[in-house]
mmCIF file of all heavy atoms in Angstrom:
data_model
loop_
_atom_site.group_PDB
_atom_site.id
_atom_site.type_symbol
_atom_site.label_atom_id
_atom_site.label_comp_id
_atom_site.label_asym_id
_atom_site.label_seq_id
_atom_site.Cartn_x
_atom_site.Cartn_y
_atom_site.Cartn_z
ATOM 1 N N ILE A 24 20.571 90.133 -155.479
ATOM 2 C CA ILE A 24 20.181 89.008 -156.330
ATOM 3 C C ILE A 24 21.326 88.371 -156.880
ATOM 4 O O ILE A 24 21.484 87.081 -156.744
ATOM 5 C CB ILE A 24 19.215 89.442 -157.333
ATOM 6 C CG1 ILE A 24 17.999 89.900 -156.743
ATOM 7 C CG2 ILE A 24 18.933 88.241 -158.332
ATOM 8 C CD1 ILE A 24 16.924 90.621 -157.851
ATOM 9 N N LEU A 28 22.655 84.351 -156.234
ATOM 10 C CA LEU A 28 22.868 83.401 -157.231
ATOM 11 C C LEU A 28 24.214 82.900 -157.333
ATOM 12 O O LEU A 28 24.557 81.701 -157.534
ATOM 13 C CB LEU A 28 22.403 83.986 -158.584
ATOM 14 C CG LEU A 28 20.857 84.481 -158.600
ATOM 15 C CD1 LEU A 28 20.473 84.897 -160.050
ATOM 16 C CD2 LEU A 28 19.918 83.379 -158.201
ATOM 17 N N GLU A 56 12.546 90.751 -148.565
ATOM 18 C CA GLU A 56 13.270 91.784 -147.742
ATOM 19 C C GLU A 56 13.102 91.416 -146.394
ATOM 20 O O GLU A 56 11.936 91.302 -145.745
ATOM 21 C CB GLU A 56 12.761 93.110 -148.162
ATOM 22 C CG GLU A 56 13.604 94.365 -147.406
ATOM 23 C CD GLU A 56 12.847 95.506 -147.822
ATOM 24 O OE1 GLU A 56 12.680 96.001 -148.993
ATOM 25 O OE2 GLU A 56 12.504 96.225 -146.923
ATOM 26 N N LEU A 69 10.103 84.888 -162.462
ATOM 27 C CA LEU A 69 9.213 84.257 -163.309
ATOM 28 C C LEU A 69 9.419 84.840 -164.690
ATOM 29 O O LEU A 69 9.184 86.006 -164.933
ATOM 30 C CB LEU A 69 7.687 84.703 -162.976
ATOM 31 C CG LEU A 69 6.637 84.151 -163.857
ATOM 32 C CD1 LEU A 69 6.460 82.582 -163.809
ATOM 33 C CD2 LEU A 69 5.314 84.931 -163.579
ATOM 34 N N ASP A 87 21.300 81.653 -144.099
ATOM 35 C CA ASP A 87 20.985 82.018 -142.778
ATOM 36 C C ASP A 87 19.474 82.017 -142.465
ATOM 37 O O ASP A 87 18.985 82.114 -141.430
ATOM 38 C CB ASP A 87 21.604 83.325 -142.514
ATOM 39 C CG ASP A 87 23.103 83.361 -142.321
ATOM 40 O OD1 ASP A 87 23.581 82.136 -142.210
ATOM 41 O OD2 ASP A 87 23.824 84.376 -142.312
ATOM 42 N N GLU A 104 1.574 84.911 -159.793
ATOM 43 C CA GLU A 104 1.756 85.888 -160.897
ATOM 44 C C GLU A 104 1.568 85.232 -162.276
ATOM 45 O O GLU A 104 1.015 85.880 -163.161
ATOM 46 C CB GLU A 104 3.153 86.587 -160.853
ATOM 47 C CG GLU A 104 3.376 87.734 -161.722
ATOM 48 C CD GLU A 104 4.688 88.343 -161.619
ATOM 49 O OE1 GLU A 104 5.700 87.524 -161.387
ATOM 50 O OE2 GLU A 104 4.796 89.478 -161.917
ATOM 51 N N LYS A 111 -0.413 78.855 -168.804
ATOM 52 C CA LYS A 111 -1.042 77.685 -168.504
ATOM 53 C C LYS A 111 -0.106 76.580 -168.167
ATOM 54 O O LYS A 111 -0.529 75.585 -167.419
ATOM 55 C CB LYS A 111 -1.890 77.269 -169.807
ATOM 56 C CG LYS A 111 -2.968 78.244 -170.246
ATOM 57 C CD LYS A 111 -3.909 77.581 -171.192
ATOM 58 C CE LYS A 111 -5.093 78.438 -171.544
ATOM 59 N NZ LYS A 111 -4.669 79.699 -172.298
ATOM 60 N N ARG A 112 1.056 76.794 -168.557
ATOM 61 C CA ARG A 112 2.138 75.776 -168.191
ATOM 62 C C ARG A 112 3.414 76.483 -167.562
ATOM 63 O O ARG A 112 3.923 77.429 -168.243
ATOM 64 C CB ARG A 112 2.547 74.828 -169.349
ATOM 65 C CG ARG A 112 1.337 74.039 -169.961
ATOM 66 C CD ARG A 112 1.833 73.205 -171.068
ATOM 67 N NE ARG A 112 2.360 74.100 -172.190
ATOM 68 C CZ ARG A 112 3.505 73.706 -172.867
ATOM 69 N NH1 ARG A 112 4.034 72.641 -172.724
ATOM 70 N NH2 ARG A 112 3.873 74.510 -173.844
ATOM 71 N N LEU A 136 10.216 70.342 -173.611
ATOM 72 C CA LEU A 136 10.343 71.861 -173.638
ATOM 73 C C LEU A 136 10.628 72.417 -174.940
ATOM 74 O O LEU A 136 11.179 71.792 -175.682
ATOM 75 C CB LEU A 136 11.459 72.357 -172.484
ATOM 76 C CG LEU A 136 11.083 71.982 -171.117
ATOM 77 C CD1 LEU A 136 12.379 72.208 -170.235
ATOM 78 C CD2 LEU A 136 9.895 72.629 -170.539
#
Side-chain angles (χ1 to χ4, degrees):
I24 295 170
L28 300 184
E56 183 184 305
L69 175 75
D87 290 342
E104 188 180 35
K111 295 199 175 66
R112 296 180 303 144
L136 296 172

